[in-house]
Structure formats: structure tokens, C-alpha cells
Amino acid sequence: MKHLLFAAGAIAAMPALGQSVSPPASQPVPTIAVAPSSPPITAPRARIGAPVPAVRKKRLSPAEQRVRAANRQATRGPQTRAFVNAVQVYPFSEGVLYRLFAAPERLTDIALQPGETIVSVAAGDTARWTVGDTTSGSGEAKRAHIFVKPFAAGLSTNLIIATDRRIYRIQLESTDKVAMAALAWTYPQDELIALRPAATPAATRLAAELAVERLNFAYTISGDRPGWRPLRAFDDGRQTYLEFPRSFSVGEAPPLFVIEEGEPALVNYRVAGRYYVVDRLFDAAELRLGGKRQAAVRIARDGGGTRAKRSEP
């Protein structure tokens, strides 16, 4: 009886069949204003094969160009025939820029003239280059040395060494692995001054004629290597001088030909000791000696007559 009453009550609580049930009143849905979308931005496509616009470099002023040209002309690099074992030996001339190649974890030794005293050493980049000095020998043979070492490859700077005799100007460049073991100099002007008290009358007269401060060593010597091959060539603005080895004898003296417009021509010169004195300047000349197997040595003034330039070792 109780179960029946429960069922009847449940049925009474249900809505009549077919009677619609109204849903609860819904809240108004807020509207959101949407801005009209802008068209997509697309990057312009580069045409295949289209030329890439060149980046304009800042042009150097005329003054800067003159400085660059002067530095290039005054720079001297290592030469194969100027190595004595692993030491590159440059002939010293005032105003020349000497190139030195160094590498990380390698020391390069710069050896000065025996008896020369360092006054000061200055480098353009002391943060990435190590520079130190020491001495070797004693007495008259005492010699100053400068050691340089870069911290990385691809660096370049300059080094200026002031001594009680001269100033050395060195261009430092670092590479990955290649480093010069050492460099040193010969001093042709000192040798010419030393000729003044020499016993040979011809050498004494020659030394007296020369104005050492005006000498230009801007010459390159190339070609064969006979025993009479000149050690160096230089001029004083009027005459050209060829210096031969101490073993040079007049008996094997080769004739000198000046090259003009590609053709050799004999030129007037005189022999003074172990020097040829040519009574003119020239851009190129050749020494020739022999028959079928003729030896030829070429002497060329650097820059084809530009007196401001110096010689190659």
C-alpha cells in the first residue's frame, strides 16, 4: 500500500503528458564588434638571377689615398733569398715599413744591431699582442732582442722601436700557423761609412763622393746566382752603384746593359774597388757573362723610377 502511494505521488508530481515545458528565460548574449581584417602583408620575392644591389663603400679622400699609396710603396715583405736559415734579413733603410708574420703560441725574435741600445718600444695593439725585450751576449757583442706574440690569428698592428741609433717601423700580422722565427737587418749605410778609412784608394774615393743621407736602396736583384752576383744596388739621385761580393775580381767583371724599351744597351760605368759606378739612373739593367750558358742577373728599380720607394732585400 505504501509503495502504491509513493508511485502515485511521483506520478502526480510529473507534468501531464503532452504539456509543454517553457525553458527558463535566457540572458541576452553581448555582441563583440570585430574590426575588419587588413590584407596580409607579403614580402616581395626576389627574382632568380636578379642582380644584388652593391653596397657602396666610403671613398677615400685624396689625402687618404696618398697616405695609403705611400705606405704600400714603403712596405717590404720577406724574400726567399733574404733568409739566413730561419732568419729573415732586411737591409735597413730609413722610412721603410718591415712586415713580420707571427702566429699564436709562437714567439718571433726581432734582433737589433750589436751594441744598439733600446730607448723605447711601442705597439698599436697591446691588448692582443705580447711584446717583451731581452739581451744576448756581452760587451761589444751585446745585442738587444724584441719578442712578439699574438693572442689570435687575423690580427694586424704596428710596432715602433726607438734606439740610440735609429727607428724601426714594423708591420705585425698574425696567421693561423705560419710564423717567422726571427728577423734582423744589415746596415748598408754603416758599411759605406766604414769604407772611408779603408786601405783601397778607389773605395776611399767612392765613400767620399757619397752623401749617405741621400742614398736610395730601392732596387731588386733577381736572376741567376753566379759568384759575381751583386749584393745590392743603390743610387744617390745622380749615379747608380752596384756592390759586388768581396771575392769579386775585375777579371770576371760582367758587362752591364741598361734595358730601354725592352732592348739591352751598353752604358758607361767605371769600376771602383768592388763597386760599379754608373753615371746615370735607370729603371732596369742586366749583367751578362758567358758563352752558350750565359749567366744573367737583372737589377730593377722598384716602382719603375719612383725614388721614394726602397729596395727589396
Side-chain angles (χ1 to χ4, degrees):
M1 185 65 180
K2 292 180 180 180
H3 296 288
L4 294 173
L5 291 174
F6 176 79
I11 293 171
M14 294 177 63
L17 294 174
Q19 185 179 358
S20 62
V21 180
S22 61
S26 60
Q27 298 295 329
V29 180
T31 59
I32 300 176
V34 179
S37 60
S38 59
I41 300 175
T42 58
R45 295 183 178 179
R47 292 180 300 168
I48 298 177
V52 178
V55 179
R56 292 186 177 180
K57 295 182 179 180
K58 182 182 177 182
R59 297 186 60 182
L60 298 178
S61 67
E64 291 172 321
Q65 292 177 7
R66 289 191 291 270
V67 171
R68 172 180 286 185
N71 289 344
R72 186 185 301 114
Q73 292 176 357
T75 299
R76 179 177 303 155
Q79 300 291 316
T80 301
R81 64 184 180 85
F83 276 100
V84 178
N85 294 324
V87 181
Q88 171 71 195
V89 181
Y90 290 116
F92 182 84
S93 291
E94 178 61 35
V96 172
L97 305 178
Y98 301 97
R99 297 183 74 182
L100 182 153
F101 293 93
E105 302 181 2
R106 297 287 187 275
L107 281 176
T108 297
D109 173 23
I110 303 171
L112 306 185
Q113 188 178 31
E116 195 168 14
T117 302
I118 297 174
V119 176
S120 66
V121 179
D125 183 355
T126 56
R128 298 180 295 177
W129 289 79
T130 298
V131 181
D133 67 276
T134 188
T135 59
S136 65
S138 61
E140 294 182 358
K142 187 175 182 180
R143 194 170 193 178
H145 299 261
I146 308 293
F147 297 146
V148 296
K149 182 182 71 172
F151 285 118
L155 305 178
S156 64
T157 188
N158 68 320
L159 180 72
I160 297 178
I161 304 170
T163 73
D164 59 343
R165 299 179 182 177
R166 56 186 61 87
I167 294 180
Y168 301 86
R169 298 172 178 87
I170 304 173
Q171 299 293 102
L172 304 179
E173 301 177 40
S174 65
T175 67
D176 290 330
K177 298 179 181 178
V178 178
M180 297 168 65
L183 64 87
W185 287 267
T186 58
Y187 301 90
Q189 294 183 359
D190 289 3
E191 295 175 7
L192 289 171
I193 293 174
L195 285 175
R196 297 184 188 276
T200 306
T204 303
R205 289 194 302 271
L206 174 62
E209 294 174 1
L210 295 175
V212 174
E213 67 278 1
R214 295 183 55 200
L215 297 182
N216 170 39
F217 291 85
Y219 291 83
T220 298
I221 300 175
S222 60
D224 297 329
R225 295 180 175 273
W228 47 261
R229 178 185 171 114
L231 298 176
R232 62 181 60 89
F234 55 93
D235 70 72
D236 61 2
R238 298 184 307 106
Q239 298 174 311
T240 306
Y241 302 84
L242 306 182
E243 180 186 356
F244 292 87
R246 296 185 184 278
S247 59
F248 175 77
S249 64
V250 178
E252 63 176 2
L256 178 68
F257 299 87
V258 171
I259 307 301
E260 295 180 335
E261 298 181 356
E263 296 295 329
L266 286 172
V267 63
N268 292 328
Y269 63 91
R270 57 190 170 91
V271 180
R274 56 191 178 94
Y275 290 84
Y276 276 11
V277 182
V278 186
D279 294 328
R280 54 166 290 187
L281 303 180
F282 56 77
D283 292 338
E286 287 186 357
L287 293 164
R288 301 178 182 180
L289 186 65
K292 293 182 179 180
R293 298 179 60 85
Q294 188 178 68
V297 177
R298 185 178 181 86
I299 302 101
R301 185 159 51 152
D302 295 348
T306 302
R307 277 204 36 84
K309 295 173 67 175
R310 302 292 179 181
S311 65
E312 293 296 333

